[in-house]
Amino acid sequence: MSDAARVPAQQRSRRATPPEGAASAPAERAAQSRQPVQAPISGRLPLAYVVRQLVADRWLSQSDSERVFAIGDRERLGHPIALLAEMNFRTPDAQRRLLDLESLTQWLAEKVKLPYQHIDPLRVDFTRVVDVMSSAYATGYSILPIAVKTTEIVVATCEPFLDDWVREIEQISKKTVQRVVANPVDIARYTTEFYKLAQQVKGATKAGTTNLLSNFEQLVELGSKVEANDAHVIHIVDWILQYAFDQRASDIHMEPKRDQGVVRFRIDGVLHQVYQVPPGVMHAMVSRIKLLGRMDVVERRRPLDGRIKTRAGGAGGREVEIRLSTLPTAFGEKLVMRIFDPEVVVRSYAELGFSDAEAKIWSELIRRPSGIVLVTGPTGSGKTTTLYSTLKQLATDEVNVSTVEDPIEMVDASLNQMQVQPGIDLTFADGLRALMRQDPDVIMVGEIRDRETADMAVQSALTGHLVFSTLHTNDAASSVARMVELGVPRYLVNATLIGVLAQRLVRTLCPSCKAPQDGPDQALWRELVAPWRSAPPRTIYGPVGCLECRRTGYLGRTGLVELLVVTDPIRLLVARGAELQELREQAARDGLRSLRVSGAEKVVLGLTTIDEVLRAAPPFKD
């Protein structure tokens, strides 16, 4: 423990919890903490003071204030801000704003002239902040360090008039303390979680070091030998999983580095660094997760796959599937966990990004008795979500839906799913050949990768089955050329291929904070909607950032879709070996809307931004 943690702990015996009426010199304290606070009171924040100030500022009606006092003395039951937030009061003005926890905290920060700060645990390096002071000291003063900089420590408080601790921390740390106001519930929660997690990491590191010293021959191993079933490691892994569920993460990356292991979450398509842990602890965490996924813990030289089924939020939470994938790197095994939430994977067409017209065309395509329907796009473009949502609609009691996947993305009871096993020569083509003898109505092939799989998909379609599969191409028209490149004769492509859906994912603007902006430049808009013509909108929306979206301005994602129906004119072009550009132009004449046009529509609707559309759907360079 650092000096900053030890000395306050020694002084805690005198005043770990300052008395309510403790005397202080507000002017001197404000000068010492370099904050322009003119404290009308000293000590902890009284409920009566908060209520009176809210009434004076016309945030609380007189009748509501009387309701608070009629309940009795509740100051000893919790923080005044938290207590008032629980009562769900609204402002007496015409806007009738809800006095929730964050709005009351913002009001308090403005009242005491301190910066307001919402604690974002993704931006807090808990391994550093816990060394500033002890847990008991932080709890006693209702404070929490949230950032340690070169010359400054940022400390969140919900007791702005309680500042006896400022001088002590500054003297011991030799750094300036910047106080910010945060809500009391978050301070209490993260004080417990940060210190407990840091204790678990330190405990696991210490256990690994002891084990290493007792086994000298293991010194050749990189890092400390920490056991995967160590209680500290189990707690850390459980924390990371639950925290990923809370943050709506789609992927968890655990990456070993030379000096530190890094944990990152992918949220709305963007990676965020969450934690850094010692290399030995990272190795133990990966081993623990491999155990949960029933993977070979000893094997670290080759990539492995596994699967975990768990519940978000504990035993009573929703069921979640996690797909595991390891990769040997220079500093150990890198582990990626892809999270599949059944409530997220199966969506309506509107949620997938389809317009009403596109949803109608897609519904007609997927109810054809036979043919091949392709879904195309890069990794992470939402192909799995679209396919599972589609198959769930088709998988009724009268329809046999079978799949061949590598790996099975999400286990579903309504589907007959087969896992590809290259180690025993069970490939996509072999699996598809076996499915043909299982009396299927609808077949889904995870991916058409080679000539053999493409031939089997074509044969399945020719024998009266509806076949779904995926390809990795830039747009819908490119899929036609890709099938020919794989070796499928052009006449068979024309005979079996009935439609192609290309898609991308873009972040959607947060509905709580998006702000109107002037319309885009005409030249940029013409480029975006080409070859269609459309006047640029006068007003579009841009990101701002709020608590709902974690200050990013974006919340969730939606799809850009490009739906190509294989018409007779397109078949003629395929038969004579037309260039790809000719196929695109004919598809546009048949009514196809490109990915960019789909994005432009969502910009007009205020769902996303032009920058997001251009990032997801750049111009083609064939």
Side-chain angles (χ1 to χ4, degrees), residues 164-411:
D164 292 352
W165 53 272
V166 173
R167 178 190 291 178
E168 298 167 353
I169 299 300
E170 288 187 335
Q171 288 178 345
I172 296 166
S173 65
K174 309 301 181 185
K175 295 181 180 181
T176 303
V177 170
Q178 179 191 357
R179 293 189 298 160
V180 297
V181 176
N183 82 64
V185 175
D186 281 354
I187 289 178
R189 172 190 173 186
Y190 293 125
T191 298
T192 301
E193 292 183 355
F194 288 167
Y195 281 92
K196 186 174 183 180
L197 189 59
Q199 182 182 10
Q200 300 293 344
V201 171
K202 291 178 180 177
T205 305
K206 183 178 179 181
T209 303
T210 302
N211 187 53
L212 182 65
L213 292 176
S214 62
N215 297 276
F216 181 79
E217 67 276 6
Q218 295 176 352
L219 285 172
V220 295
E221 296 287 343
L222 181 65
S224 301
K225 302 293 291 183
V226 187
E227 293 294 333
N229 287 322
D230 185 272
H232 303 295
V233 175
I234 293 174
H235 177 82
I236 297 168
V237 170
D238 290 345
W239 159 270
I240 287 177
L241 290 178
Q242 292 301 325
Y243 191 47
F245 301 150
D246 293 343
Q247 297 295 321
R248 302 179 297 105
S250 61
D251 299 86
I252 305 172
H253 290 242
M254 303 183 68
E255 304 170 350
K257 305 295 183 183
R258 183 184 299 275
D259 300 318
Q260 291 285 337
V262 177
V263 180
R264 297 196 289 175
F265 291 169
R266 188 177 294 280
I267 304 172
D268 292 338
V270 179
L271 278 173
H272 301 266
Q273 182 168 313
V274 183
Y275 300 128
Q276 289 185 335
V277 297
V281 177
M282 173 64 71
H283 170 78
M285 291 165 61
V286 171
S287 297
R288 168 65 182 172
I289 295 169
K290 289 173 67 177
L291 281 174
L292 295 175
R294 299 179 181 179
M295 301 162 69
D296 187 350
V297 180
V298 178
E299 180 57 72
R300 303 171 194 159
R301 300 167 299 174
R302 60 186 179 91
L304 299 174
D305 293 316
R307 186 178 300 274
I308 298 175
K309 180 176 288 189
T310 184
R311 291 189 177 274
R318 66 186 188 278
E319 192 174 85
V320 174
E321 289 262 357
I322 303 176
R323 195 184 75 195
L324 311 178
S325 174
T326 66
L327 183 72
T329 68
F331 301 108
E333 280 186 295
K334 179 182 184 293
L335 173 69
V336 174
M337 294 178 274
R338 173 152 289 186
I339 301 171
F340 293 99
D341 186 342
E343 297 178 3
V344 174
V345 170
V346 181
R347 297 184 175 183
S348 67
Y349 291 138
E351 292 174 318
L352 292 172
F354 286 74
S355 66
D356 292 341
E358 290 162 341
K360 182 180 179 181
I361 296 172
W362 182 252
S363 296
E364 293 173 354
L365 278 178
I366 66 175
R367 282 173 173 77
R368 298 269 189 97
S370 62
I372 297 177
V373 179
L374 297 176
V375 181
T376 182
T379 301
S381 60
K383 300 188 299 296
T384 298
T385 302
T386 299
L387 281 173
Y388 271 97
S389 298
T390 300
L391 294 177
K392 287 284 287 185
Q393 292 192 28
L394 297 176
T396 62
D397 291 339
E398 295 81 21
V399 178
N400 175 17
V401 180
S402 301
T403 73
V404 186
E405 303 175 64
D406 183 24
I408 297 175
E409 301 282 6
M410 191 185 73
V411 178

Side-chain angles (χ1 to χ4, degrees), residues 489-543:
R490 295 181 184 276
Y491 74 93
L492 288 180
V493 173
N494 281 339
T496 56
L497 188 63
I498 60 176
V500 182
L501 176 72
Q503 67 180 72
R504 301 289 191 278
L505 290 178
V506 293
R507 292 183 294 173
T508 52
L509 288 165
C510 174
S512 300
C513 65
K514 64 180 182 180
Q517 299 176 348
D518 293 336
D521 177 73
Q522 289 194 7
L524 175 62
W525 186 257
R526 282 196 300 268
E527 179 187 352
L528 192 66
V529 300
W532 300 83
R533 294 180 180 179
S534 171
R538 293 183 178 181
T539 303
I540 58 177
Y541 287 84

Side-chain angles (χ1 to χ4, degrees), residues 1-8 128 130-134 172 202:
M1 185 179 294
S2 66
D3 293 339
R6 283 196 297 266
V7 177
R128 294 191 65 191
V130 297
D131 285 334
V132 173
M133 63 186 69
S134 67
I172 296 166
K202 291 178 180 177

Side-chain angles (χ1 to χ4, degrees), residues 572-609:
L572 289 175
L573 292 175
V574 173
R576 69 176 178 85
E579 295 291 331
L580 182 57
Q581 186 59 35
E582 293 183 73
L583 291 175
R584 288 173 179 157
E585 291 172 356
Q586 181 59 51
R589 286 192 289 270
D590 291 341
L592 176 140
R593 300 188 318 157
S594 68
L595 291 168
R596 285 190 161 196
V597 172
S598 176
E601 180 185 54
K602 291 173 174 57
V603 170
V604 173
L605 294 174
L607 295 178
T608 189
T609 64

